Amino acid sequence: MELTLDTNIQYLSGVGPKRAALYKKLDIQTVRDLLYYFPRSYIDLTQPCYISDAPVWEICAVRARVIAKSSPQYIRKGLTIFKVKVADDSGSMIITFFNAKYTVDSLKYDEEYLFYGKMSGSLLKKEMHAPSIYPANLPSAFISVYPLTQGLSSKMIAGNISQAIQLLDENLPDPLPAFLRKKYQLCHLHFALKNIHLPADKESAEIARRRLIFEELLMLSLSLHSVRSDTFSQTSFVCRNIDLQPFLQQLPFQLTGAQQRAIEQVCKDLKKSTPMNRLIQGDVGCGKTMVAAAASFAAFQNGFMSAMMAPTEILAQQHFQSLSRLLSPLGMRLVLLCGSMTAKEKRDIKERISLGMVDFVIGTHALISEDVDLPNLALVITDEQHRFGVAQRTKLSEKSDHPHTLVMSATPIPRTLALMIYGDLDVSSIDELPPNRQPVKTYVISSKLKQRAYHFLKDHLDRGLQGYIVCPLVEAMENTPSNLQNAEEYADLLARGPFSSYRVGVLHGKMRPKDKERIMDAFASGEIQLLVSTTVIEVGVDVPNAVIMMIENAERFGLSQLHQLRGRVGRGVQQSYCILISDNKNPETKERLQVLHRTNDGFKVAEYDLKARGPGDFLGKRQHGLPQLKIADLSSNMDILMQAQQAACELNESTLSQSEQELLQQSIKRILNHVGEQLN
Ligand code: ADP
Ligand code: MG
C-alpha cells in the first residue's frame, strides 16, 4: 500500500491501538504528524575513532570486532554483569553490560559493530559501559534521536518513521510551489522528510532542515497575514483636527523629548487615511502611558472612541484611575470594563458604550468578549502587549472597521520578530526616562543579611516611603521546598514580627478582584506601607512613593521578570533600591543575578537573558503569543525568517494554480488551528 501524509498511522505495521494511543498523546495521528515529529539530535557514527585514540570520558563511536565474552557474573538478585572484549586495529577494550543477556547473546563472534557511548577506564585499559550498538554496515551512519516520552522509545519512533518513509509516495504533493523552491533553493518535501529522519550524511540533514524551517516560518507568516487586519485598507477614522494644547497644558510635568517625538508620530499616523499600526517600545518607567493618553485625546477631539486593553485587572484599574484624573477634566468620559464586574455593572457599561456615551473604555480581555459592541472604536491600544496573543489583539480590532492600533511594550524584541508578530508596523522608541529619576540601586544578598535589609526597609517606611516584598508562591503548598517564601504566610509573619508596628498588606492572584482592588487602593493612598505580594504586581503598577523592592528566592525568576519587578520602584524623585535575596550557590545563578546589580538598562538585561536562557525560554509562548514551533527557532533562524517573509509577500502577489493554492491553504489552516488552540 502506498501511504499519503494523511493516512492514519494505524496503517503502519507495529502501530496497534496501544501505541496509537501513546502517539495521540503527542498529537500524532497521521503520517504527516509522525513525519513532522523531528529528531532532537543525531548520533554521528560516520567517523568512528580507534580505540587507542579515543579520549577517556568523552562520548565516541568505535568500530570494533567481538573477540571474547566472559561468562555472566551474578552480583546479587537483579544484577548480572556481562563483559565483552572487542578489538580494532589499534587495540582492545572491555565493554560492560548490565542485565543485558539478550543484547550480549545477539553479538556474534568476530563480527564488526559500531559501539557508541562514553569511554571510561584508563589510557591503557579502556572501557565502555552499556553503549548503544549498531551494525557496522549501516545504510546511514547518522542516527536520529527523538525526544523521549512515556512508553515510546526513540528506537520505536525511529522504526515507525523509517517504515512510513519507505511507503511514502515519492511524488507526494509539496505545499511549497516549485517556483518558490527553485528561487530559495529548497529541496522537495519528500527529500526533506526522508533526510531529516534518515540522513545519508550531515549535508543532507542540513538541506532537509533548512527546507523544513523555511516551510514552517513561511506558513506562520502567511497565517499571521491572514489573521491580521489588513493594514493597507482605508480607515473610517481619520483624525483631521488635532490640537493637543489642552491636554499638554494640564499635565503635571513636562513631557520628555522622546515622549514628544512618539506623540508627534502617533498624531501624524492618526491624520492619515490608512490605519495606524505602531509599537511604542521603551523601558519600564519611561512613560508610555502618556502616549496612549495623548492618542486617545486626539481621537476624542475628532468624535471617536478609544479602547485600552491591559493584561491584569490591577493594571486596568490603575490606568482607569490615573487616566480619569488626567482626561475627565478635558470632558472625556471614561469607563472600566473587567471580567470580575457583576453582570449588571457590565450590562450598564455596555449600554452606555452602545449609546455613544463613552469616549475611552479601559479593561482587560473582557473587552474582547463576544457581546461587547464597540461600534465607534477608532483607536485600539494594547498595553504590555507581550502578554497577549496575536489573535486576541486582532479580535479587539475587529470590533470596528479598520481602527488605528497602538501597542506598548517594555520587552525589546528584534525588528524581524516584531514584523512577524505585528505585521508591517512602525516603531517609536522611548529611549529617555523622565528627568530626576535616579537609577535603582540593586543588590544581591543572602538571607543571612535579611535582618539588616529589614532595618533598611523600616528606615524608609519611617520616612513616609513605601516598599514591596515579592515572594514566588501564593500560599504554602505541599511538596514545595520549605525555604520558598510564600506571600500569605510571610506577610503574616512580618505583620506579627519585625513589622508589627507597620501597616502590612498582602496581594496575590488568587484573591477576589474586589479584594485586590481594595488592597491596591490602600497601597496607592499610602494606607498600606509594606505590600507583600506575588508577581501580580509585575507589570505596569505605578506607585511612585514606593522605593524599595525586595525579592525573595530571586533565583526563581527570569532576569527580564526581575527587571520588570524592579521597574515598580524608581518611579519618583527618591533614590530607590532593589534587594534580591538568594541563597542559591550555583555560580551561574549568582552571575545571572549580578547582571541586575550592574545594569539598569532593560535592553542589556534582555540581551543577557536571551543568551543565557536561550530563545525558547526568553521568547516563551506567553511572551509573544505565537504558536510553539516544531523546528524553527525565531532568534537563531533570523536569516531564514527574513527570506520566508519575503516569500510570503511574493506568494500573496503571485498567481498559483488551483492545486497549489489548495495545498498552501491547507497548510495555513493547520497552523491557524494550532494558533487558535493555544490562544483559547
Ligand atoms: P511605563 O512606560 O512603564 O508604562 P508609566 O507610563 O507607567 O511608565 O510612567 C511611569 C511614571 O512616570 C508614572 O508615574 C508617570 O506619571 C510618570 N511620568 C511619565 N512621564 C513623565 C514625565 N515626562 N515627567 C515626569 N514623570 C513622568
Ligand atoms: Mg506601563
Side-chain angles (χ1 to χ4, degrees):
M1 181 187 117
E2 203 151 73
L3 295 186
T4 72
L5 290 175
D6 293 305
T7 310
N8 193 296
I9 49 168
Q10 295 222 37
Y11 285 95
L12 296 171
S13 64
V15 182
K18 203 166 147 204
R19 195 175 288 186
L22 291 171
Y23 272 126
K24 193 156 183 222
K25 280 195 196 150
L26 295 173
D27 253 340
I28 295 175
Q29 302 193 55
T30 63
V31 169
R32 175 186 291 102
D33 300 336
L34 181 64
L35 294 183
Y36 276 79
Y37 190 71
F38 300 122
R40 176 166 54 85
S41 60
Y42 299 97
I43 294 179
D44 184 357
L45 300 175
T46 51
Q47 285 160 331
C49 50
Y50 282 119
I51 293 177
S52 63
D53 294 346
V56 176
W57 303 121
E58 271 179 35
I59 290 177
C60 57
V62 166
R63 180 200 289 267
R65 256 171 309 115
V66 174
I67 55 174
K69 297 187 195 178
S70 67
S71 46
Q73 283 171 267
Y74 302 93
I75 301 295
R76 57 177 155 80
K77 193 168 180 238
L79 180 61
T80 310
I81 289 184
F82 299 81
K83 294 207 177 206
V84 177
K85 190 169 185 183
V86 302
D88 64 9
D89 293 343
S90 77
S92 64
M93 68 171 178
I94 302 288
I95 300 179
T96 312
F97 293 96
F98 308 97
N99 301 336
K101 180 170 176 357
Y102 176 78
T103 310
V104 175
D105 285 350
S106 67
L107 290 174
K108 296 199 187 96
Y109 278 107
D110 213 29
E111 185 132 332
E112 259 192 335
Y113 297 93
L114 285 160
F115 299 98
Y116 180 84
K118 194 191 234 172
M119 237 350 137
S120 60
S122 65
L123 270 182
L124 295 175
K125 200 166 161 273
K126 295 220 168 114
E127 290 175 26
M128 241 186 210
H129 292 200
S132 308
I133 304 168
Y134 301 92
N137 57 346
L138 274 179
S140 155
F142 233 64
I143 315 273
S144 298
V145 181
Y146 296 91
L148 291 183
T149 37
Q150 201 120 55
L152 282 170
S153 71
S154 184
K155 263 203 172 130
M156 287 178 193
I157 298 176
N160 295 141
I161 284 180
S162 129
Q163 197 203 1
I165 287 174
Q166 270 167 32
L167 296 176
L168 195 62
D169 179 2
E170 287 230 12
N171 295 315
L172 74 144
D174 189 331
L176 298 188
F179 87 88
L180 209 68
R181 293 201 305 270
K182 183 146 178 255
K183 171 153 190 201
Y184 292 95
Q185 300 179 332
L186 302 163
C187 64
H188 187 270
L189 180 59
H190 187 271
F191 182 93
L193 292 176
K194 183 166 177 213
N195 283 281
I196 197 76
H197 294 290
L198 303 165
D201 48 41
K202 211 170 180 167
E203 282 72 54
S204 316
E206 264 318 303
I207 291 170
R209 196 177 168 73
R210 178 164 167 271
R211 133 92 212 209
L212 291 166
I213 291 175
F214 190 102
E215 176 183 326
E216 184 166 48
L217 293 175
L218 175 70
M219 295 311 162
L220 183 62
S221 297
L222 288 171
S223 63
L224 292 174
H225 266 294
S226 76
V227 288
R228 250 184 329 250
S229 46
D230 182 0
T231 39
F232 296 109
S233 53
Q234 302 286 304
T235 177
S236 24
F237 305 107
V238 185
C239 299
R240 292 195 174 74
N241 313 303
I242 300 179
D243 171 17
L244 290 183
Q245 274 320 309
F247 171 77
L248 297 173
Q249 268 162 17
Q250 51 112 50
L251 278 183
F253 41 66
Q254 173 108 39
L255 292 176
T256 64
Q259 281 172 317
Q260 284 171 23
R261 275 192 299 281
I263 290 174
E264 267 165 38
Q265 287 165 339
V266 167
C267 289
K268 222 167 162 185
D269 290 349
L270 291 175
K271 287 178 183 166
K272 288 188 194 154
S273 55
T274 48
M276 165 169 79
N277 190 18
R278 184 171 288 276
L279 165 67
I280 307 288
Q281 201 170 59
D283 209 349
V284 281
C286 71
K288 294 182 287 291
T289 320
M290 283 306 130
V291 181
S296 71
F297 180 71
F300 162 71
Q301 276 184 326
N302 290 271
F304 303 135
M305 183 171 88
S306 303
M308 172 143 92
M309 185 161 69
T312 64
E313 289 210 0
I314 293 176
L315 189 51
Q317 184 87 37
Q318 178 192 290
H319 278 322
F320 173 67
Q321 284 168 358
S322 63
L323 289 172
S324 294
R325 266 198 305 279
L326 205 62
L327 300 172
S328 310
L330 300 169
M332 283 176 72
R333 295 158 298 177
L334 283 78
V335 294
L336 178 68
L337 185 65
C338 290
S340 71
M341 293 176 150
T342 64
K344 184 178 175 312
E345 283 172 321
K346 283 190 222 169
R347 210 176 326 120
D348 216 47
I349 285 169
K350 283 180 218 161
E351 190 172 307
R352 276 162 63 194
I353 292 173
S354 66
L355 290 174
M357 292 164 66
V358 170
D359 303 305
F360 197 0
V361 50
I362 295 167
T364 55
H365 37 259
L367 280 179
I368 47 182
S369 78
E370 298 304 325
D371 61 340
V372 183
D373 250 356
L374 303 168
N376 196 24
L377 182 61
L379 171 64
V380 171
I381 304 166
T382 317
D383 193 18
E384 308 291 351
Q385 66 71 31
H386 57 281
R387 292 301 197 92
F388 294 98
V390 178
Q392 282 178 309
R393 278 196 304 273
T394 311
K395 265 191 188 154
L396 187 51
S397 294
E398 279 166 1
K399 298 233 173 232
S400 85
D401 181 30
H402 302 296
H404 301 285
T405 59
L406 191 62
V407 296
M408 307 197 287
S409 176
T411 308
I413 50 172
R415 164 92 189 152
T416 25
L417 204 56
L419 266 175
M420 174 72 120
I421 300 171
Y422 313 106
D424 199 7
L425 89 176
D426 304 300
V427 181
S428 302
S429 291
I430 305 191
D431 50 6
E432 185 182 355
L433 292 179
N436 300 327
R437 290 275 175 84
Q438 304 174 50
V440 178
K441 291 192 176 154
T442 303
Y443 301 98
V444 186
I445 64 168
S446 77
S447 53
K448 281 201 206 96
L449 291 177
K450 207 145 70 176
Q451 292 307 323
R452 271 178 62 187
Y454 286 162
H455 278 296
F456 185 72
L457 181 51
K458 283 188 209 168
D459 279 346
H460 284 81
L461 302 187
D462 290 339
R463 284 164 40 205
L465 298 165
Q466 292 164 279
Y468 301 92
I469 299 184
V470 172
C471 312
L473 300 173
V474 181
E475 58 199 321
M477 278 184 281
E478 279 177 73
N479 308 325
T480 52
S482 59
N483 60 344
L484 278 186
Q485 300 296 353
N486 70 79
E488 269 184 356
E489 258 183 26
Y490 192 45
D492 211 45
L493 225 72
L494 293 178
R496 281 187 285 125
F499 289 88
S500 56
S501 49
Y502 297 87
R503 299 180 301 275
V504 180
V506 60
L507 187 73
H508 58 74
K510 287 193 185 162
M511 284 163 59
R512 292 213 320 265
K514 280 271 174 291
D515 294 331
K516 282 191 221 167
E517 190 183 325
R518 191 172 45 75
I519 296 284
M520 264 333 284
D521 283 346
F523 188 63
S525 70
E527 194 187 309
I528 289 175
Q529 295 171 284
L530 175 61
L531 187 62
V532 180
S533 161
T534 58
T535 51
V536 286
I537 56 153
E538 176 185 337
V539 287
V541 169
D542 183 40
V543 178
N545 195 45
V547 295
I548 295 192
M549 166 60 69
M550 205 156 136
I551 303 173
E552 290 277 1
N553 304 104
E555 74 280 352
R556 305 261 302 183
F557 301 100
L559 279 194
S560 295
Q561 199 179 6
L562 289 172
H563 180 68
Q564 280 277 350
L565 284 168
R566 170 167 71 177
R568 298 311 111 222
V569 297
R571 302 191 146 238
V573 292
Q574 299 281 342
Q575 174 64 54
S576 292
Y577 300 88
C578 174
I579 300 169
L580 304 173
I581 303 177
S582 173
D583 291 331
N584 196 294
K585 300 267 188 306
N586 182 330
E588 270 166 40
T589 308
K590 286 176 147 175
E591 171 58 24
R592 191 166 69 90
L593 293 177
Q594 284 301 328
V595 171
L596 292 173
H597 169 68
R598 287 199 298 271
T599 184
N600 265 290
D601 181 336
F603 280 74
K604 290 211 176 102
V605 172
E607 231 172 49
Y608 185 91
D609 227 9
L610 187 60
K611 261 196 232 131
R613 289 200 290 158
D617 226 19
F618 173 72
L619 296 166
K621 196 171 75 194
R622 281 184 60 83
Q623 297 296 311
H624 54 52
L626 293 178
Q628 200 75 47
L629 298 172
K630 286 185 190 320
I631 189 165
D633 175 309
L634 285 173
S635 59
S636 67
N637 298 135
M638 222 37 110
D639 47 339
I640 306 183
L641 175 58
M642 254 136 53
Q643 291 180 347
Q645 276 172 337
Q646 192 186 330
C649 295
E650 287 161 8
L651 274 180
N652 281 337
E653 281 156 22
S654 62
T655 29
L656 300 176
S657 75
Q658 175 113 20
S659 61
E660 284 174 325
Q661 188 71 34
E662 271 167 22
L663 273 167
L664 205 57
Q665 284 309 326
Q666 283 161 6
S667 287
I668 294 172
K669 227 162 137 189
R670 272 194 296 272
I671 277 226
L672 274 181
N673 283 341
H674 202 53
V675 177
E677 267 164 38
Q678 304 208 0
L679 295 176
N680 286 332

